[in-house]
């Protein structure tokens, strides 16, 4: 199930879980051969508090980046939608306008 969803092998999942457990982000409970992991919300809230210092710095910049990326996508779509004979030239007139004069 994990392999199909996340493309991770069982050993890789075990390594990730071990790191989370060793650093206080998860706890483990053994039942026979099975291991059940639980997230420790206290540790995650501490990380959230630490990250909060950086959110103020990055939120505005990431919003601006999103705006620029959207602007670039719109420009690309509008350029792709132009007909070759109606595209403006460096003189500011399209080819079809030049042919009329």
């Amino acid at each position: 199930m994990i392999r199909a969803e996340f493309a991770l092998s069982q050993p890789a999942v075990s390594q990730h879980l071990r790191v989370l457990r060793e650093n206080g982000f998860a706890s483990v409970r053994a039942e026979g051969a099975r291991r059940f992991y639980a997230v420790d919300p206290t540790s995650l809230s501490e990380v959230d508090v630490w990250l909060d210092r950086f959110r103020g710095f990055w939120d505005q910049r990431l919003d601006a980046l999103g705006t620029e990326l959207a602007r670039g996508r719109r420009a690309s779509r509008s350029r792709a939608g132009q007909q070759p004979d109606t595209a403006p030239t460096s003189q500011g007139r399209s080819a079809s306008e030049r042919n009329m004069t």
Side-chain angles (χ1 to χ4, degrees):
M1 177 170 96
I2 290 174
R3 180 179 301 210
E5 189 171 344
F6 298 108
L8 289 172
S9 67
Q10 183 59 47
V13 171
S14 295
Q15 287 177 342
H16 283 83
L17 291 172
R18 186 189 73 214
V19 168
L20 292 172
R21 188 184 73 245
E22 288 175 352
N23 289 285
F25 293 104
S27 60
V28 64
R29 180 180 91 248
E31 285 187 15
R34 299 179 76 179
R35 303 287 180 262
F36 295 91
Y37 286 82
V39 173
D40 180 3
T42 305
S43 296
L44 291 178
S45 65
E46 292 170 7
V47 170
D48 190 48
V49 168
W50 181 80
L51 286 172
D52 204 35
R53 296 183 298 166
F54 302 100
R55 283 190 187 101
F57 176 79
W58 285 107
D59 281 347
Q60 182 181 3
R61 287 162 180 80
L62 292 173
D63 288 346
L65 176 61
T67 299
E68 289 303 316
L69 291 172
R71 187 176 292 147
R73 284 191 298 268
R74 281 193 305 271
S76 293
R77 282 194 304 266
S78 69
R79 282 193 303 268
Q82 289 179 340
Q83 297 293 329
D85 64 335
T86 60
T89 64
S90 59
Q91 289 83 20
R93 297 187 316 176
S94 69
S96 58
E97 289 173 325
R98 282 195 322 272
N99 291 337
M100 293 178 164
T101 57

